[in-house]
Amino acid sequence: EEIALQEDTLLAAARHGAVLISPCISLGEKRIARAALEAGFPLVVLLENGFPEFYKPPAQYFSACENGSLLMLAPWPYHSEKRMISREQCLALNTFARQLSSEEC
């Protein structure tokens, strides 16, 4: 219920020109980001893993990048091993999201 309320609030803001920024860590964040993409709203996604040399995003992300509604950023270099995201990385990604969304940027 709380996530649905957040989704409504954030999508309404996006309808009025806000750009959503998220590391898409929690299920709720992923749900809202998916809804924003489906509606064609601008979205910035922060990723834990960087990009390999010839990276191509998955289909929906690729289309959104192609039409200019998605920006994918990764503050750390690419790694090929499977890793669980750490709490410290989650906190850092959330901090980056807050910094990107501040009026001082």
Side-chain angles (χ1 to χ4, degrees), residues 7-81:
E7 182 178 346
D8 291 345
T9 301
L10 292 170
L11 294 180
R15 252 183 241 99
H16 289 95
V19 176
L20 304 183
I21 303 171
S22 176
C24 301
I25 298 166
S26 73
L27 293 177
E29 290 171 332
K30 290 174 184 176
R31 171 181 158 173
I32 294 166
R34 202 171 13 258
L37 281 177
E38 289 170 2
F41 296 137
L43 176 66
V44 177
V45 175
L46 302 173
L47 304 168
E48 172 274 327
N49 196 1
F51 304 99
E53 188 174 352
F54 298 106
Y55 178 75
K56 180 180 175 185
Q60 186 180 23
Y61 272 26
F62 184 86
S63 296
C65 286
E66 185 177 46
N67 72 33
S69 62
L70 175 65
L71 174 63
M72 299 169 65
L73 300 173
W76 301 295
Y78 172 74
H79 58 81
S80 58
E81 65 275 2

